[in-house]
Amino acid sequence: MTSGSLDKHKDISGVLRALEKAARVPNLHMMDLNEVFSWENWSAFQTIDEDVDPFDDDLDSQVIDADSTSRFMASTFEIDTIISMLSVLSDLAKGIQTHFRPSRERIIMKLSRGIGSLPDELVTKIFQFAVWEEGYKAGRQAILLSQVSRRFRNIALAARGLWTTLCSSDASGQLRTFASRGGRKEFFHAHVHYDMKVKSSDIARFTSACQPAIARFETLTLTQESQDWDDGRADYGGVGNLLGWLLKAFSEKHLRLHKLEEINIYGKHGDSYDDRGYGSHRWTTSKLRTLNCSYFLPAPSNNFSSVTHFAFTQSLSGGHRDSSLKWLFEFLLSMPKLATFDLEVHDATSIFSSLNDDDIALSICDKPSITSFTLRLRELYVSISEPGSSRIAKLMNILRMPSLRDLCISVGVNGYSVDESEVRSAQWTQSLYKLTREMIPDHLVYTSQITSLSYELWFDRDADAPQGFCGKAVNIPLDRILNVTTLTLSSFVRILFTQECSSENALRTDFGELSRLRELKFVECENMTVEDLKWTVWSLRVFGVWKNIERVVVEDCYELVYEELVEVVGEERLRYLD
């Protein structure tokens, strides 16, 4: 067989490999394959869709010139070949299936007998894992398990923890049954969802049915459907309405959430929320520790005074109240015990837009309780032009965290901001460097206690990482991280260490004496080669910091080979995790 024939054979057999890989995709049975394989996704269809209507009954009348005729005939031949290959594959797969089936049935019988021999305690644990991983659908899974057999039913009914998920879409009878089966000692997890049909009366029904269990709610999750603007059914304040109705019901029934430890409020980007009922009803909880919010913030309340972990997702664009930094800082002040703060900003390019009037004259927000802070920017277009006033710079200058120990900076780059030009790459690198410095302002450098810093640069959504680095780099400012002992880096471009360049301090600082950096971690730097790592090490040597490094951890950096790494960093320093 010639080399050309071998290549063709390899290409065709790749179809089998692709099918086998697709068959191993987790939860494949839950996917709509008709949608995945729809006509619009076929390149043969897309090729002729460029200038003709493939759904026209009189298609041949549209295929008129030589180019369209060529492409149409090529697509037709391609479809015929695909059908031929699929026919052969289907026959062979059915043959293997027939050969495997008797053994599979015998194995299933053995496994069934094996489950029957397991003690009830172990089966209960298996049930718990199967139910809890279903989230708000956990109740449905518990019911299905209880209907398999008489033994399974007895085990399920005895395991009170299986019946602790209460969902607003469930019937009142089911909610009362679950509250009863959960007993008086189990904690419950409530899920309340808003769609166009939900009204305050529905929430009143939910709270009435769940009343025996409300005092033992451990988690409360509010969600809403996406707003449908196309058919004119746009509504406002989904999760805000839910919260107002719930608080009203709790207040009217004099209910107290004594065991509530976590609240999750997941609104939708683009929805508009106001103050309707959010803070007008009294409610009480004393054990709340975790609060997760997306595109919505409740009114500040004493109930948040015990929160230690707060995660907030928002866009800083738009004119709504929740886009205001002022509103965010006011809410932070209602959490005096807050230790961990995660902030995710979508539409991050808007950080360079004009500040709101409320944001211009803001007072310092002092949060000495915060020890861990994550700032995650999503869909950032790295501009090569000189950015104006950055709202991130404003945020980081006002938010004071003198006890901060762990800082994580994560930047998701919009793929369209990548350019191959060497000049533009230099401007791109400089713009990113300026933003990085803004995210580590002076007050963090000189007054905080940061010892651990994680910096992540990744492609967000609409582009694959480029082949090579296109002349771009992440510049880590050494003068901003003097107290950091552990630095974790993840990037799709080269990583270099630098300092603020000015006539007064350029290369004068003795970083070798001042820097406390001892551990350097490279995690999922998928494009990094040993040559790039040499440049990183070189930049540390220039400033006298490399001699202080005790450990270099390399994890999931697939272009880096152990033997080459040893030559660059030394065997004693290297910790290689494949």
Side-chain angles (χ1 to χ4, degrees), residues 157 160 163 166 173-184 188 209 212-213 216:
L157 293 178
R160 296 188 178 276
W163 310 96
L166 306 174
Q174 178 176 316
L175 292 171
R176 285 190 287 268
T177 298
F178 276 35
S180 174
R181 288 181 181 177
R184 297 185 176 183
F188 288 83
R216 283 171 289 120

Side-chain angles (χ1 to χ4, degrees), residues 191-486:
H191 295 262
V192 188
H193 183 71
Y194 176 90
D195 59 30
M196 300 298 294
K197 300 177 182 178
V198 171
K199 302 299 179 185
S200 59
S201 57
D202 298 304
I203 303 305
R205 175 198 66 82
F206 173 74
T207 54
S208 295
C210 297
Q211 186 164 341
I214 288 177
R216 283 171 289 120
F217 276 6
E218 184 176 47
T219 66
L220 175 62
T221 300
L222 278 61
T223 56
Q224 71 178 85
E225 69 175 2
S226 297
Q227 302 304 311
D228 193 347
W229 299 94
D230 293 334
D231 63 2
R233 296 190 305 113
D235 199 8
Y236 296 95
V239 292
N241 291 329
L242 278 185
L243 183 60
W245 295 335
L246 278 173
L247 297 185
K248 180 181 179 182
F250 293 155
S251 178
E252 290 176 346
K253 294 180 171 61
H254 306 289
L255 299 173
R256 299 294 181 264
L257 303 167
H258 295 304
K259 304 298 182 181
L260 189 65
E261 294 187 2
E262 178 179 324
I263 297 179
N264 307 299
I265 308 177
Y266 300 128
K268 289 293 183 181
H269 182 276
D271 202 348
S272 180
Y273 306 97
D274 57 28
D275 284 321
R276 289 175 294 173
Y278 298 164
S280 60
H281 303 289
R282 299 184 63 183
W283 60 293
T284 303
T285 179
S286 58
K287 291 190 175 183
L288 189 63
R289 297 292 182 267
T290 301
L291 177 65
N292 298 308
C293 296
S294 295
Y295 304 110
F296 171 84
L297 281 178
S301 164
N302 288 334
N303 289 300
F304 302 124
S305 61
S306 58
V307 170
T308 59
H309 185 130
F310 174 48
F312 182 45
T313 297
Q314 185 58 293
S315 168
L316 293 183
S317 63
H320 300 319
R321 179 198 68 179
D322 297 325
S323 296
S324 169
L325 296 179
K326 180 175 182 277
W327 181 254
L328 173 60
F329 290 138
E330 288 178 354
F331 190 77
L332 287 175
L333 293 175
S334 70
M335 297 180 284
K337 296 182 180 179
L338 182 63
T340 301
F341 178 29
D342 296 341
L343 175 62
E344 181 170 296
V345 179
H346 282 242
D347 304 323
T349 304
S350 63
I351 64 176
F352 301 118
S353 62
S354 299
L355 296 171
N356 291 345
D357 292 339
D358 286 344
D359 296 337
I360 293 175
L362 290 173
S363 301
I364 296 299
C365 179
D366 193 15
K367 295 297 298 179
S369 61
I370 295 179
T371 59
S372 176
F373 176 56
T374 297
L375 176 60
R376 185 176 297 104
L377 304 183
R378 298 289 308 271
E379 306 150 45
L380 176 71
Y381 187 94
V382 181
S383 174
I384 64 170
S385 60
E386 187 68 18
S389 299
S390 169
R391 303 182 80 190
I392 290 297
K394 186 76 172 178
L395 182 150
M396 294 303 297
N397 278 316
I398 292 175
L399 181 59
R400 301 300 172 96
M401 301 172 284
S403 302
L404 187 65
R405 294 195 300 268
D406 302 314
L407 173 62
C408 177
I409 296 173
S410 178
V411 181
V413 176
N414 182 307
Y416 294 114
S417 67
V418 176
D419 190 277
E420 301 288 340
S421 164
E422 183 177 344
V423 174
R424 293 173 67 89
S425 291
Q427 294 171 324
W428 188 94
T429 297
Q430 181 60 28
S431 180
L432 183 63
Y433 176 62
K434 179 177 180 179
L435 178 62
T436 300
R437 292 187 66 87
E438 288 181 345
M439 291 189 284
I440 314 177
D442 287 345
H443 69 85
L444 282 184
V445 176
Y446 301 116
T447 65
S448 71
Q449 305 173 31
I450 299 176
T451 58
S452 174
L453 171 64
S454 176
Y455 188 102
E456 179 185 21
L457 181 70
W458 48 287
F459 266 90
D460 194 2
R461 292 192 177 181
D462 48 25
D464 295 325
Q467 298 298 317
F469 294 101
C470 309
K472 295 178 174 63
V474 170
N475 287 325
I476 306 296
L478 278 171
D479 50 309
R480 304 273 94 184
I481 61 170
L482 291 176
N483 293 325
V484 171
T485 59
T486 299

